[in-house]
Amino acid sequence: DRQAITDCMYLYSRGIDRGDAALLGEVFWPDARIVGELFSGPPADFIGFSVPAGLKNWDRMMHLITNSVIRIEGDRAAAESCFYGYHVAHGDGREGVPPGDLIICGRYLDRFAKRDDEWRIIEKTILFEWYREYDDGGGIKPGPMGTTVSLKGVASPEDRSYDLFRSI
């Protein structure tokens, strides 16, 4: 159960980072609720808001989850996790979005429900603890130490990771 809950938390981040609405739909129960600074409401509306906004505003995102504490009681569970969200703007003025990077750190307070032997999120609260905005976009510069970075991820199911998982 603990691993299934952890996987669900990680798949949430993967869905956000890849702009994968279908994957995000699999981590929430349809009757779930999301509470946050930028959005509060049901998962379908959250997905409809966050996926297009992410793709419009950011070239890349990476949400890391750490320090998770999970408590399980029967078919209910609660988890607190720290997150570190790194957002790289397009940097080319596309869609009127200025270049720059944004880091948001905070916590996810998640409630889970187990139905038909499957754990999903029934309530997600997103707390922002601190953030930092950078005027320049570190993610759009040439590669580190003079290298050229050609193997980058993409915010879509065209990302190489989807082929990896389809291969098994």
Side-chain angles (χ1 to χ4, degrees):
D1 286 336
R2 184 173 305 282
Q3 188 60 55
I5 290 167
T6 301
D7 287 351
C8 186
M9 294 186 318
Y10 291 165
L11 288 172
Y12 167 80
S13 289
R14 184 170 192 258
I16 290 290
D17 293 341
R18 301 282 67 86
D20 188 336
L23 178 56
L24 286 170
E26 294 175 14
V27 302
F28 291 105
W29 289 114
D31 58 334
R33 175 141 179 87
I34 294 92
V35 177
E37 193 71 34
L38 301 174
F39 177 91
S40 291
D45 292 348
F46 172 76
I47 294 164
F49 165 79
S50 62
V51 169
L55 295 173
K56 174 186 173 192
N57 294 316
W58 309 111
D59 190 41
R60 287 177 179 66
M61 292 185 287
M62 185 174 289
H63 290 76
L64 307 175
I65 297 177
T66 67
N67 300 4
S68 297
V69 177
I70 301 169
R71 298 290 182 257
I72 303 168
E73 183 66 41
D75 61 357
R76 300 178 312 128
E80 176 190 48
S81 302
C82 296
F83 73 86
Y84 183 93
Y86 191 78
H87 308 75
V88 177
H90 298 299
D92 57 7
R94 188 181 332 163
E95 304 287 338
V97 178
D101 294 347
L102 169 66
I103 298 172
I104 300 175
C105 290
R107 291 178 292 141
Y108 295 136
L109 304 180
D110 293 326
R111 293 185 188 280
F112 292 85
K114 186 177 185 180
R115 300 175 184 169
D116 296 323
D117 207 35
E118 181 179 7
W119 287 99
R120 291 190 186 191
I121 299 168
I122 192 69
E123 182 180 279
K124 175 178 257 335
T125 300
I126 303 168
L127 304 174
F128 291 174
E129 298 290 344
W130 63 268
Y131 72 95
R132 191 70 206 267
E133 294 177 299
Y134 296 91
D135 293 335
D136 68 326
I140 61 165
K141 296 178 181 178
M145 299 176 282
T147 63
T148 301
V149 178
S150 60
L151 296 175
K152 292 183 178 181
V154 293
S156 79
E158 300 303 314
D159 185 79
R160 293 169 186 256
S161 62
Y162 287 81
D163 287 338
L164 170 72
F165 289 113
R166 281 191 292 265
S167 72
I168 58 170

